Amino acid sequence: MKDNGFTKKIAIVGTGFVGMSFAYALLCEGICDELVLLDINREKAIGEAMDLNHGLAFAKTNMKIFAGEYTDCHDADMVVICAGVSQKPGEDRISLLKRNQAVFESIISPILSSGFQGIFLVATNPVDIMTRMVQHLSGFDSARVIGSGTTLDTARLRYLLGAYLSVDPKNVHAYVIGEHGDSEMVPWSQAIVGTKPIREVVAEHQAFSENDLQNIATEVRRAAYQIIEVKGATYYGIGLSLVRIVKAVFGGENSILTVSARLDTGNGIGNVYAGVPCILGRDGVREVLRLKLEEKEKEEFLQSCRKLKEVWEEIIL
Ligand code: NAD
């Protein structure tokens, strides 16, 4: 990442619900100095830039915001991809994926031509596959290609566990790992409340049960479906999750977040992108943490990774 001490520049590709919720949160928190908006629908990007600029007078910090071209990515620190096409009625998942593959080819090629050397962050679904696609198309070191992964799912889990246990979610150290989707899982053996394993906390209090924990994990898995059913899309939570990831990188925080990162064989399966706790610093993924999972959890996690591997092979072959 360039470190001239002056400007932090982000380019967002895809100015839909997700891209603009992220952009708005960036503006409110004053995370960067320059924000470039890109969309195949250029008019939309222009309108969004105008709208955000009109809030600058009330923002924490100044920021240069404009609808740009791919050449504007050349000195960006991060390019965040939120662009994608949605499922047509009756369309199967693989066909949707192939259309999104074409979208990504049309995006990554001009970004590379711009001379971009920063970090890619991907939100487009299925996020683990699309992140792997960006690494595949760009040839960037995998440390510099990150997906939002299960960051949002982990936040949802902590929120629900905090409410259930009446504990600040910040003191709940529990993770959702694997695919950001139906096969994601919660390794309860790794979940800690304050200083205690969550299973001990649950065993010690009559009001709590293991069954409730399973129900919470199911609620997390179903959250996106529930929101989409009632309001059509989810965007605020992911917008804030993306800001959290960017802050960890820009601040060189070495924070642990469950982003989608490339696993090595030490995690049980190689060359797959999946949500796992990673240490995030100025150069992206500093380390993918290896978890000591129980046998049953390990099998569930590997099953999720195998699913991602199979989908990848279906679209790439
Ligand atoms: P949206 O339809 O509102 O926005 C998509 C944008 O992409 C549109 O503005 C469209 O014009 C643009 N676009 C399409 N093709 C393009 C191209 N070739 N080049 C540039 N721009 C292009 O959709 P949304 O609600 O913002 O969702 C965006 C993506 O984020 C979806 O894939 C969605 O599933 C995903 N999402 C991910 C998470 C997560 O946790 N990772 C959460 C919510 C949504």
Side-chain angles (χ1 to χ4, degrees):
M1 178 186 302
K2 81 175 181 288
D3 191 11
N4 57 18
F6 296 111
T7 55
K8 290 199 174 66
K9 180 172 177 179
I10 295 178
I12 299 179
V13 186
T15 58
F17 286 115
V18 171
M20 291 318 299
S21 301
F22 169 53
Y24 181 64
L26 281 176
L27 174 61
C28 292
E29 293 210 32
I31 305 294
C32 60
D33 308 283
E34 217 174 313
L35 180 61
V36 188
L37 302 181
L38 297 146
D39 200 289
I40 195 164
N41 180 350
R42 188 162 162 75
E43 294 299 309
K44 168 103 165 70
I46 291 171
E48 294 291 2
M50 283 175 71
D51 202 359
L52 286 184
N53 274 319
H54 297 164
L56 268 179
F58 313 114
K60 271 188 191 167
T61 57
N62 208 356
M63 201 185 273
K64 182 178 170 188
I65 305 169
F66 61 101
E69 308 290 340
Y70 281 108
T71 48
D72 293 309
C73 295
H74 76 282
D75 59 347
D77 297 287
M78 287 183 96
V79 168
V80 184
I81 307 182
C82 308
V85 285
S86 48
Q87 208 152 359
K88 289 179 185 167
E91 184 177 39
D92 66 35
R93 193 187 51 181
I94 297 298
S95 146
L96 171 69
L97 260 171
K98 287 201 183 261
R99 285 200 298 127
N100 267 328
Q101 178 178 9
V103 167
F104 270 40
E105 280 163 357
S106 75
I107 290 171
I108 302 302
S109 169
I111 293 175
L112 296 182
S113 301
S114 78
F116 172 65
Q117 292 193 338
I119 292 173
F120 278 110
L121 173 59
V122 183
T124 306
N125 274 323
V127 72
D128 305 288
I129 300 291
M130 299 318 289
T131 309
R132 186 169 176 184
M133 178 100 57
V134 171
Q135 200 279 322
H136 175 75
L137 293 171
S138 67
F140 273 28
D141 186 303
S142 56
R144 290 199 289 132
V145 184
I146 310 169
S148 56
T150 45
T151 312
L152 174 57
D153 317 67
T154 293
R156 284 173 176 152
L157 177 70
R158 290 179 182 192
Y159 158 70
L160 289 173
L161 286 174
Y164 178 66
L165 302 167
S166 298
V167 167
D168 184 340
K170 291 190 184 70
N171 296 122
V172 178
H173 301 283
Y175 301 94
V176 178
I177 59 172
E179 175 199 20
H180 166 63
D182 294 342
S183 71
E184 68 187 29
M185 53 95 54
V186 179
W188 292 111
S189 67
Q190 313 290 309
I192 297 201
V193 182
T195 56
K196 255 188 182 174
I198 198 164
R199 281 179 173 150
E200 272 183 38
V201 175
V202 166
E204 282 169 6
H205 293 81
Q206 278 205 326
F208 303 144
S209 74
E210 285 265 346
N211 198 36
D212 288 342
L213 294 186
Q214 296 309 330
N215 290 339
I216 286 172
T218 305
E219 200 174 334
V220 169
R221 208 166 18 243
R222 293 179 44 79
Y225 293 113
Q226 263 182 307
I227 298 170
I228 289 168
E229 204 173 298
V230 291
K231 60 175 266 191
T234 79
Y235 34 91
Y236 299 130
I238 180 63
L240 287 166
S241 304
L242 294 170
V243 166
R244 181 67 195 90
I245 295 167
V246 170
K247 274 167 87 172
V249 172
F250 280 0
E253 286 180 11
N254 295 323
S255 294
I256 297 174
L257 294 168
T258 48
V259 291
S260 190
R262 192 167 78 186
L263 307 185
D264 61 27
T265 42
N267 282 280
I269 196 155
N271 201 17
V272 158
Y273 266 84
V276 273
C278 294
I279 303 178
L280 284 186
R282 285 186 74 79
D283 297 317
V285 174
R286 202 193 81 196
E287 191 179 334
V288 176
L289 299 185
R290 289 186 190 177
L291 302 173
K292 276 196 179 163
L293 301 178
E294 291 174 350
E295 268 319 302
K296 202 164 155 269
E297 292 172 340
K298 196 170 174 181
E299 190 38 51
E300 212 181 325
F301 174 64
L302 289 180
Q303 192 52 37
S304 184
C305 294
R306 270 184 225 116
K307 181 182 162 192
L308 290 167
K309 201 167 191 146
E310 280 164 23
V311 173
W312 175 259
E313 281 161 8
E314 261 185 276
I315 53 163
I316 219 68
L317 295 178

